[in-house]
Amino acid sequence: IAFDFSPGWGSHADLKYFLGTCGGDDNQDCEREALEQAKADWTQMADLFAELTAGRPVIYHTFIFGDWPFDGYYKDDITPEERAVLLGYFHEFQTFQEADALARGMFVHHVFPSQTDTPPPVEYLQADKFHLSDEGSLVISSLMREAGYSPLKP
């Protein structure tokens, strides 16, 4: 199972934040709501994973990374202050996901763990500098095989 997103991407909370229409004294109410919804969505999906796998092992991998995806996703349209706010919600969600997955006995695989401050090598990503390329997918499969999960095909 590969799962990764920022809480504000799916609900358009980030757009509302950028427009100043997110609500609250700090213009972050919709970001907080998106975070709580993302946690509820993850919990429902993880419950379903557990039901569908009926006790068999589940491999869950997520990107654990620094700021570089936000730079690619938002291009140059994000200020350092905005990035800090959005990353706070993003990392809180990742922390929640990982803790919940581990508590359920899922294997949590940190993708490109040595790349926390800089992007992975450019050949690992598609032209959008955000999604994995075929080569990046092969690297993921290789890392998981090294961790003992095989046969895995990209």
Side-chain angles (χ1 to χ4, degrees), residues 64-106:
I64 303 296
F65 46 56
D67 297 356
W68 64 267
F70 277 79
D71 295 335
Y73 189 78
Y74 290 114
K75 309 297 182 229
D76 296 322
D77 301 329
I78 187 169
T79 68
E81 295 80 15
E82 291 168 333
R83 184 184 301 115
V85 167
L86 299 180
L87 282 173
Y89 291 106
F90 178 68
H91 290 299
E92 183 176 341
F93 180 60
Q94 281 195 323
T95 299
F96 173 82
Q97 278 181 294
E98 182 171 358
D100 186 70
L102 290 170
R104 294 169 182 271
M106 291 181 178

Side-chain angles (χ1 to χ4, degrees), residues 41-63:
D41 291 346
W42 163 257
T43 300
Q44 288 180 329
M45 286 187 282
D47 288 345
L48 182 60
F49 301 154
E51 180 183 325
L52 293 174
T53 59
R56 292 180 306 230
V58 173
I59 301 171
Y60 161 69
H61 73 197
T62 187
F63 287 91

